[in-house]
Amino acid sequence: MSKPKNRILAALPPREWKQIEPLCQPVELTNGRELIEGGEPFTHVYFPESGIISTVGVFEAGDVAEIATTGREGMVSIAAVLGADRALHRSIVQMPGSALMIDIQSFRGLQRELPAFQTALLTYSRAFLGQVMQSVACNGVHSVEERCARWLLMAHDRSDGDTFLLTQEFLAQMLAVSRPAVNLVARTLQHAGLIRYHRGEITILGAVWDVVDF
């Protein structure tokens, strides 16, 4: 029996993981892939093992803004955990990686049958909501530079190293700001020796957290 890299699944008792593992389908998380569309019925849930998934809100004009970030510490979507039949928001791959996918009917059965699994899901859901509320507060009072630094820290926490792929266009969409604003912030952080940015690849070099007032 292989040990999962996703932290929710890895924390389960072996007897429960043994029941879950045959229902897990490995999937590749390619950059920009849309996993779930807001308003559509759930067909699957996803447990990332690497990479990052963004939950985003979509506005009438088609613009998007990130609501939350999920890596191997969590799953997508907590709305399914809480019993919803349809997704509230879109989920797209922000950073490439891999995940374990479970079809929604099997997932519902596992929730009913495996108490430790359901407890872990609810515990994560509470943490996820806390992250979302913190993000809302930060977005309301922090500068673009601080918001960008905070986002880079969250991406760094969920990546496998100090270097990860990220375009300025994508970061601008996630922060709901203009690309020139992101370009200015990236150049400021690079000149301060905190990051290195080149052709869509960012390397964290220094104490980016010093920029952020949590």
Side-chain angles (χ1 to χ4, degrees):
M1 183 171 60
S2 61
K3 185 176 178 63
K5 296 178 183 178
N6 179 273
R7 291 176 184 169
I8 293 176
L9 300 178
L12 298 175
R15 64 182 181 280
E16 292 203 5
W17 170 235
K18 186 176 181 180
Q19 292 179 251
I20 295 171
E21 186 178 18
L23 301 174
C24 292
Q25 178 183 345
V27 294
E28 183 181 1
L29 301 179
T30 54
N31 195 37
R33 176 181 174 182
E34 184 179 302
L35 301 176
I36 299 171
E37 180 56 86
E40 295 295 319
F42 286 113
T43 58
H44 298 83
V45 294
Y46 299 85
F47 292 83
E49 296 208 301
S50 62
I52 299 176
I53 299 170
S54 283
T55 300
V56 300
V58 182
F59 299 95
E60 288 185 6
D63 297 330
V64 301
E66 187 178 63
I67 296 169
T69 304
T70 305
R72 64 167 58 95
E73 82 287 347
M75 59 83 63
V76 174
S77 159
I78 68 161
V81 174
L82 301 176
D85 294 322
R86 294 176 179 270
L88 297 175
H89 301 286
R90 179 183 296 169
S91 295
I92 59 175
V93 177
Q94 172 195 117
M95 191 179 297
S98 62
L100 298 176
M101 179 176 72
I102 304 176
D103 74 85
I104 192 64
Q105 296 306 320
S106 297
F107 177 72
R108 298 285 188 223
L110 293 170
Q111 284 186 287
R112 291 190 298 267
E113 297 166 9
L114 304 180
F117 182 53
Q118 177 66 351
T119 297
L121 292 171
L122 293 175
T123 299
Y124 169 70
S125 297
R126 289 192 291 270
F128 179 89
L129 290 173
Q131 173 193 313
V132 170
M133 289 186 284
Q134 181 67 39
S135 293
V136 170
C138 290
N139 289 344
V141 299
H142 287 167
S143 67
V144 173
E145 184 178 71
E146 290 172 320
R147 289 164 56 197
C148 183
R150 181 174 183 270
W151 194 96
L152 291 175
L153 285 173
M154 292 193 297
H156 187 216
D157 286 344
R158 292 166 172 85
S159 66
D160 292 322
D162 292 334
T163 300
F164 46 89
L165 298 176
L166 180 67
T167 65
Q168 290 188 7
E169 181 179 5
F170 195 90
L171 183 54
Q173 287 183 340
M174 295 302 99
L175 297 175
V177 298
S178 68
R179 184 171 177 178
V182 168
N183 181 268
L184 177 60
V185 170
R187 284 192 283 115
T188 299
L189 295 177
Q190 186 159 252
H191 290 160
L194 300 178
I195 68 170
R196 182 171 61 246
Y197 182 81
H198 181 67
R199 294 185 178 179
E201 186 176 86
I202 285 185
T203 301
I204 304 297
L205 299 174
V208 179
W209 52 83
D210 289 342
V211 180
V212 185
D213 178 12
F214 288 98

